[in-house]
Amino acid sequence: MTGAKTYGPATALSTARDQEAGDQGTRVQGAGDEPTGDRARSWRGRAGAVLSRRLPPRLRRSLLFLPPLLVLLLAVFAADWAEVQSGLRSDAVARERLTLYRETILRELEKYRHLPYIVARDPRAVGVLSDPGQAPSANRFLKELAATTGAAALYVMNEDGLTVAASNFDTAGSFVGRNYSFRPYFQEARDGEEGRFFAVGATTGEPGFFFARSTPAGAPARGVVVVKVDMERLETNWRHGGETVIVTDVHGVVFLGTRDDWRYSSLAPLQDMVVAAIRSDRQYGNARLASLQQGPLAQTRLVIGGTAWRQARLKVGILDWTIHYFTPMSEVRAPRGVVWAGAGALVLLYAIWLLVLRSRRLGRVTAGLRQDAATLRDLNRRLVEEIDERRRVERELRDTQADLARASRLAAVGEMSAAVAHELNQPLAALGMFVSGARLYQQRGETAAVTENLDEIDALRHRMATLTQELKRFARPGESRIETVDLRDCLKTSAKLVRPRVEETGVALQLHLPSRPMTANTAPLRVEQVLVNLLRNAIDACQGVAAPVVEARARIEEGRAVIEILDNGEGIPDTLRERIFEPFFTTKPAATGLGLGLAISARIVEDLGGSLATRARRAGGACFVLSLPLAAQGGDEGSEEDARRLDAVDAQ
Ligand code: ADP
């Protein structure tokens, strides 16, 4: 049974070992081969795993941060590079656009540039200079010409700067009668040069470009012809492009462009002298001429109104004008954002990849743990089964022991029946004789002899009654309640019980008890029954000895109580040593001994888990050794043992 039980777990273990051995076997076999395909991959994986396992875990964890750090470091350089590239690209675009914008300005102005030159030679226009009566016809002529060419205004001034005829003679803002001698273009033209000027109209308040020419030498009178070109159309066209383009004059003042809010402001702070000069020309009316930013004019990057710009510039080729093309830095820097976003995405992907790997590894570990748990559960189940099986077998064993005990008791009863029959037959036969004798003596009238016979009959009855009483005790040994007792107390009680007999016989009874308690879970009354029996036998045995001494020595030995009852009597002959425990064996006279005491005692002691034996004393006399189990220190073991013993006792 036990063999079969240990077989289960042992098989499970050996199976696991076999499997492991099998795995190793496969590895060894593959070691000599060239790694190919999946195997090669798994080999590389294993090599990597072995390498990474050799590194300390802290370093391994730190290495995980290396790839994202490298990516971020690269991103720093890549972002700078991307911005530089983007700047170069935007510069190239700006150059292209600037050329285009410059062309539109030049083309627009070129259309009107020669108009004053031609008009100054036309008597229909300049005739008014010498003959004021031609003013109406000159006005009409100029009006027609302006309408045809698309000029904003066309007018003739005399040599004092007074306007004598104008295309807008019939409008509220007519130039006729106004003096523009303060305008630089007038002075330039009067000096024989081509007068060129950009200004806000002193009368109309509308900005425009002025071309001026003087009347040629030999003309009837000196004068200056001016055409005003409207630049608004140009601006409107530019605005459609959605770009930021401005034109600044020689001082850096914005006078044209797509940003109305920058108009008549300077790109760099202006000197007071310059401001005064502009004011005296009334070039930009009463504009404040504030600076848009504080830095010098010639820089690539500017911050205007909180927005950073990258500017590209180109000289227009007229009046020292510069055309500026602005690209928002946010646009230039956009690729930097793309690079960072890409780097971020890479780091994120890396993190996700790590997480996936980790969750896979955790999954594998969990699966392994689950398998281990299943194996443990299996082992546990087998153990529980084994324990149940053991309990069942123990129960069976106890039942069998009880059966055996019953059977042996029955056998003993059988043996005893013969002995009892023999024991009873003798007194019965004697009884018959005494009854016949009594009848005879009665017939004879010998009353005294009858009485004597009746006494004998009574003595025989008494002996038979004693015999049956002892037999009853043997069959049912009495109280078997298990208690926790100090065996020293049992010994003291037993000594008290035999005290009358001790006094009667004059035997010296000595008790030797240990100082430590001899605690046992046992049936005290039955222990006392045994001790009384042993003490009585000892007292009986030293009758006729000069100084009869009976000793009871108790001690604790290897967790058991050992009680020796010694006497200095005649002792037990070796030939009888085996037989004294048999029922009805006695060496005492028929009236005193039945020979059941030791047989009953031995049975009781056996039931209590102890032993009873006898040994010879060198000094003479007998020694009976009673050994009983003591209560276990921890408690549990002892109580289980006691319970089992109690079961056995009850079974009898
Ligand atoms: P009983 O006392 O009725 O004879 P027991 O079973 O108690 O029955 O004892 C059996 C026999 O064992 C006794 O008759 C005696 O011969 C022997 N015996 C017992 N105790 C002693 C002893 N202390 N010394 C010598 N013989 C003993």
Side-chain angles (χ1 to χ4, degrees), residues 391-431:
R391 284 205 178 123
R392 196 182 61 75
V393 169
E394 272 174 14
R395 236 183 353 260
E396 278 179 10
L397 207 66
R398 272 206 300 276
D399 290 351
T400 312
Q401 274 174 346
D403 286 349
L404 270 175
R406 228 171 277 133
S408 72
R409 276 182 67 81
L410 281 174
V413 167
E415 268 176 40
M416 253 174 51
S417 301
V420 170
H422 176 73
E423 287 297 315
L424 289 180
N425 270 343
Q426 273 183 328
L428 278 174
L431 267 179

Side-chain angles (χ1 to χ4, degrees), residues 463-501:
R463 179 172 164 73
M464 285 165 80
T466 312
L467 181 68
T468 50
Q469 218 168 13
E470 281 299 308
L471 279 173
K472 223 166 107 188
R473 269 172 62 188
F474 183 71
R476 202 185 291 265
E479 185 65 63
S480 63
R481 201 151 52 85
I482 301 290
E483 287 170 36
T484 302
V485 287
D486 188 347
L487 290 175
R488 294 179 306 176
D489 294 339
C490 291
L491 204 50
K492 284 180 201 162
T493 310
S494 307
K496 249 184 235 163
L497 287 173
V498 295
R499 185 144 303 278
R501 181 103 179 99

Side-chain angles (χ1 to χ4, degrees), residues 537-538 541 567 571-572 580 585-588 593-598 622 624:
N537 278 349
D567 63 67
I572 306 160
I580 55 171
F585 176 82
T586 181
T587 54
K588 292 174 190 172
L594 279 172
L596 284 173
L598 283 179
F624 282 82

Side-chain angles (χ1 to χ4, degrees), residues 560 602 604-612 626-629 645:
R560 294 178 78 84
I604 289 171
V605 171
E606 193 188 330
D607 288 349
L608 294 177
S611 64
L612 182 60
L626 166 65
S627 164
L628 285 170
R645 209 182 306 133

Side-chain angles (χ1 to χ4, degrees), residues 72-84:
L72 293 178
L73 199 67
L74 268 177
V76 170
F77 292 111
D80 283 348
W81 180 81
E83 187 178 333
V84 169

